């Protein structure tokens, strides 16, 4: 990375990259018709999207600091001693649940500026205009899917924070990005014998704010970065089942802590794709004529010819595009034993889905560069992981499906059993909820009354119980 301007990353190899954060939806609880419409809208966007795309999911421990900070601010104004005591217990409970069980997931779309003619990239205004046009198109189509794209107040700071979180996965929990920025500025001023408040701050390279505290590539099967162990898997090009369901990526997204997913898509030019497929079909048919039907390669060639006709028909008759798909899985842990255990669990889960993966042994640096949010996949790994799919197959990789009901201004109800995220709900937030009604269903003795009492108590501690005089009169 060279620098960041207006939320656009400029790389040392002359590319301009944009990172957009996508808010997920509760895809798996939608009806079949709604799921079909979502995938169709996503497929429509893929047809007009940039040629190269990277979708990234990032899983880490839930961040309950903002919620706890709000609780402490309200406890300082609390006059009832009993409520203050219960409030301290509630804060300890939130911190314990957040550190022990709860996870949070963030989803990103990464694309780059693509020159329409030679010399476009020399004008940053042209680069910014085209990147903004792609972003607006993405907002429109993702809104049809039900997803929203986060609009940060400061695009440069938001982009740097995303990169800092990726490279400092362990440190960012206790050392937020703002603290890193302040420390780097203070250290730079001190190193150059300048006085804070009197002298101007010198130019500091952006990489100084986001670089990890340590990076070790000396091992053949894992990487150590910022005190955590990482290993990388990729789904082999021939390791996919014949058919997949819409939203099949949700099983990988919700696999658990320390599992990140990267999907690279490269759309091929339609006319070139037809010519390549036709040439491959002719070549395979020629090989087939000189081969006996008892040969071990006979069935493979036959399947390849049938697949070629399928792709050619989809492009020519059904207005499909040809994509090259590569899926990488990043596994992280605090120890090497935990890393190997998680890796085996992930391999077994994918095998149960009829998907087969390979380890990036002796290619750790190449794998690491392929999963960085810079839209650059190593050619050696791409040849092994690449799978050709049509638009409908590419649209099935829709991964923005792990919905979280987490509002920092609400009250904690518990853990979402579907994805282990914190369930913090503010019933009176009109921007998210149309009204403040709540349905609580359960069998006799399941704890409905206790849950309502607990909800009322936590609302009382948050200062949410404001009963109008007319309602009080009606109750009397």
């Amino acid at each position: 990375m060279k620098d960041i301007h207006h939320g656009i990353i400029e790389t040392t190899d002359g590319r301009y990259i944009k990172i957009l954060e996508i808010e997920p939806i509760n895809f798996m609880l939608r009806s079949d018709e709604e799921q079909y419409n979502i995938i169709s809208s996503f497929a429509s966007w893929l047809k007009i999207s940039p040629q190269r795309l990277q979708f990234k999911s990032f899983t880490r421990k839930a961040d309950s600091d903002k919620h706890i900070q709000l609780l402490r601010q309200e406890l300082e104004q609390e006059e009832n001693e009993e409520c203050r005591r219960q409030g301290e217990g509630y804060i300890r409970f939130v911190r314990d649940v957040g550190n022990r069980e709860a996870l949070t997931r963030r989803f990103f779309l990464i694309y780059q500026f693509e020159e329409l003619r030679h010399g476009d990239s020399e004008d940053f205004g042209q680069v910014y205009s085209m990147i903004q046009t792609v972003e607006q198109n993405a907002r429109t189509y993702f809104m049809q899917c039900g997803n929203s794209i986060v609009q940060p107040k400061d695009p440069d700071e938001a982009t740097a924070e995303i990169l800092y979180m990726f490279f400092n996965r362990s440190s960012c929990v206790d050392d937020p990005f703002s603290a890193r920025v302040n420390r780097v500025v203070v250290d730079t001023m001190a190193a150059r014998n300048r006085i804070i408040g009197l002298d101007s701050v010198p130019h500091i390279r952006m990489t100084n704010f986001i670089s990890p505290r340590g990076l070790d590539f000396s091992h053949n099967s894992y990487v150590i970065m910022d005190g955590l162990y990482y290993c990388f898997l990729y789904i082999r090009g021939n390791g996919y089942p014949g058919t997949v369901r819409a939203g099949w990526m949700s099983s990988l997204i919700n696999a658990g802590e320390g599992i990140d997913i990267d999907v690279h898509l490269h759309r091929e030019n339609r006319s070139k794709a037809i010519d390549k497929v036709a040439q491959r079909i002719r070549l395979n048919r020629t090989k087939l004529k000189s081969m006996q039907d008892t040969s071990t390669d006979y069935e493979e060639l036959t399947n390849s010819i049938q697949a070629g006709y399928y792709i050619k028909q989809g492009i020519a008759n059904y207005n499909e595009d040809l994509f090259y798909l590569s899926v990488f899985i990043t596994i992280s842990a605090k120890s090497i034993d935990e890393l190997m255990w998680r890796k085996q669990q992930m391999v077994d889960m994918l095998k149960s889905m009829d998907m087969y993966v390979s380890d990036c042994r002796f290619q750790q640096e190449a794998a690491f560069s392929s999963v960085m949010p810079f839209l650059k996949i190593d050619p050696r790994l791409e040849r092994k992981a690449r799978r050709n799919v049509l638009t409908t197959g590419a649209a099935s990789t829709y991964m923005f499906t792990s919905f979280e009901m987490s509002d920092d201004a609400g009250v904690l109800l518990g853990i979402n059993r579907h994805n282990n995220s914190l369930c913090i709900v503010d019933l009176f937030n009109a921007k998210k909820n149309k009204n403040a009604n709540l349905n609580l269903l359960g069998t006799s003795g399941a704890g409905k009354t206790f849950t309502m009492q607990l909800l009322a108590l936590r609302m009382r501690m948050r200062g949410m119980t404001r009963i109008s005089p007319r309602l009080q009169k009606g109750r009397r």
Side-chain angles (χ1 to χ4, degrees):
M1 189 183 71
K2 185 177 180 181
D3 207 348
I4 299 178
H5 306 283
H6 304 286
I8 301 173
I9 301 172
E10 182 181 359
T11 64
T12 54
D13 58 357
R15 296 181 298 131
Y16 296 91
I17 299 171
K18 181 72 173 182
I19 301 177
L20 301 178
E21 184 170 1
I22 311 294
E23 294 285 355
I25 61 172
N26 205 339
F27 180 83
M28 303 312 297
L29 294 183
R30 302 291 179 96
S31 65
D32 292 342
E33 182 180 358
E34 288 176 317
Q35 290 184 1
Y36 175 80
N37 292 334
I38 290 171
I39 298 299
S40 297
S41 298
F42 186 56
S44 299
W45 177 73
L46 287 177
K47 293 181 178 179
I48 63 171
S49 66
Q51 285 189 321
R52 288 189 175 273
L53 297 170
Q54 180 182 354
F55 303 110
K56 188 174 188 64
S57 74
F58 188 89
T59 305
R60 65 169 184 169
K61 287 289 187 181
D63 184 9
S64 57
D65 292 342
K66 292 182 180 179
H67 184 57
I68 292 176
Q69 185 178 2
L70 290 174
L71 290 174
R72 291 205 175 278
Q73 291 176 356
E74 292 171 354
L75 274 182
E76 292 175 357
Q77 303 174 0
E78 180 60 57
E79 299 178 356
N80 190 305
E81 186 63 29
E82 181 64 20
C83 287
R84 290 175 62 90
R85 186 181 63 81
Q86 293 185 359
E88 291 293 340
Y90 177 47
I91 290 176
R92 289 193 297 270
F93 173 70
V94 172
R95 180 179 287 111
D96 179 65
V97 171
N99 294 336
R100 179 168 44 87
E101 302 178 57
L103 303 175
T104 185
R105 294 166 180 84
R106 298 176 69 177
F107 300 89
F108 303 101
L109 161 64
I110 305 162
Y111 63 94
Q112 69 181 16
F113 166 75
E114 297 174 350
E115 298 182 50
L116 295 179
R117 56 183 182 275
H118 183 69
D120 279 346
S121 60
E122 298 177 0
D123 182 9
F124 184 77
Q126 180 79 4
V127 173
Y128 179 78
S129 176
M130 295 191 66
I131 285 182
Q132 287 297 109
T133 300
V134 174
E135 180 178 347
Q136 292 302 321
N137 288 336
R139 287 183 183 277
T140 301
Y141 280 89
F142 274 99
M143 189 175 296
Q144 295 177 9
C145 298
N147 303 98
S148 60
I149 297 179
V150 176
Q151 182 70 47
K153 295 181 180 179
D154 188 341
D156 288 353
E157 182 180 356
T159 303
E161 186 270 335
I162 292 170
L163 296 176
Y164 172 72
M165 179 187 64
F166 173 79
F167 290 106
N168 300 269
R169 184 169 188 153
S170 178
S171 300
C172 69
V173 177
D174 301 317
D175 188 18
F177 179 66
S178 57
R180 164 68 78 90
V181 171
N182 294 334
R183 188 172 62 255
V184 169
V185 171
V186 171
D187 292 345
T188 304
M189 295 287 284
R192 302 191 182 186
N193 295 322
R194 297 191 180 187
I195 301 175
I196 298 178
L198 295 179
D199 300 328
S200 60
V201 179
H203 174 72
I204 304 174
R205 293 180 58 191
M206 183 59 66
T207 51
N208 293 337
F209 297 111
I210 66 172
S211 297
R213 295 181 177 179
L215 191 57
D216 182 5
F217 287 116
S218 61
H219 306 278
N220 63 2
S221 59
Y222 61 90
V223 172
I224 304 176
M225 181 174 67
D226 193 44
L228 289 181
Y229 294 82
Y230 292 80
C231 69
F232 309 96
L233 304 173
Y234 63 87
I235 302 180
R236 297 199 294 262
N238 59 353
Y240 293 86
T243 58
V244 294
R245 59 178 175 80
W248 62 272
M249 293 291 295
S250 61
S251 299
L252 308 184
I253 299 300
N254 296 320
E257 182 186 359
I259 305 297
D260 302 341
I261 306 298
D262 285 88
V263 176
H264 289 266
L265 286 176
H266 177 207
R267 189 177 73 247
E268 188 68 76
N269 181 277
R270 186 173 296 182
S271 58
K272 291 182 179 180
I274 293 180
D275 293 340
K276 284 184 179 180
V277 171
Q279 182 180 6
R280 176 59 64 178
I281 292 175
R282 290 194 297 269
L283 180 62
N284 287 339
R285 288 181 66 88
T286 302
K287 290 181 179 179
L288 194 65
K289 290 180 181 179
S290 59
M291 188 177 296
Q292 298 293 331
D293 57 0
T294 57
S295 175
T296 56
D297 297 333
Y298 185 85
E299 300 239 350
E300 184 178 348
L301 275 176
T302 303
N303 293 335
S304 178
I305 293 172
Q306 293 176 352
Y309 280 120
Y310 175 79
I311 293 174
K312 186 177 180 181
Q313 184 180 13
I315 296 175
N317 300 337
Y318 297 104
N319 198 29
E320 301 254 21
D321 287 312
L322 179 65
F323 288 83
Y324 291 113
L325 165 71
S326 302
V327 178
F328 290 86
I329 302 166
T330 304
I331 305 171
S332 61
K334 294 182 180 180
S335 66
I336 186 65
D337 292 335
E338 184 181 5
L339 181 72
M340 293 298 106
W341 179 81
R342 287 183 180 176
K343 175 183 173 182
Q344 188 59 46
Q345 292 292 108
M346 199 67 193
V347 171
D348 293 341
M349 189 193 77
L350 286 166
K351 189 179 296 184
S352 68
M353 299 169 60
D354 292 330
M355 296 184 183
Y356 299 92
V357 298
S358 292
D359 194 353
C360 301
R361 190 175 294 273
F362 295 103
Q363 293 179 301
Q364 298 304 305
E365 191 169 354
F368 180 71
S369 64
S370 299
V371 301
M372 288 194 300
F374 294 139
L375 195 60
K376 190 171 185 179
I377 181 172
D378 187 89
R380 295 170 296 173
L381 291 178
E382 186 177 17
R383 285 192 294 268
K384 300 176 183 178
R386 188 172 64 179
R387 163 70 180 248
N388 52 1
V389 293
L390 296 178
T391 305
T392 51
S396 70
T397 62
Y398 176 84
M399 65 160 56
F400 315 104
T401 59
S402 185
F403 181 74
E404 297 181 6
M405 296 178 62
S406 185
D407 188 347
D408 293 326
V411 296
L412 178 65
L413 296 183
I415 301 294
N416 188 336
R417 55 186 274 181
H418 294 287
N419 56 16
N420 291 331
S421 63
L422 284 176
C423 187
I424 304 176
V425 180
D426 181 5
L427 299 177
F428 307 100
N429 186 352
K431 294 182 179 179
K432 291 186 177 181
N433 308 308
K434 294 183 179 180
N435 55 50
N437 293 331
L438 175 70
N439 264 346
L440 187 61
L441 307 177
T443 59
S444 299
K448 299 186 296 298
T449 304
F450 177 79
T451 302
M452 288 301 299
Q453 291 174 344
L454 194 64
L455 185 62
L457 177 63
R458 291 177 179 174
M459 285 184 175
R460 165 62 183 84
M461 288 189 293
R462 296 300 316 278
M464 293 183 181
T465 52
R466 299 288 187 269
I467 302 178
S468 65
R470 184 172 59 180
L471 181 58
Q472 288 178 338
K473 182 179 179 180
R475 285 187 174 180
R476 288 195 293 269

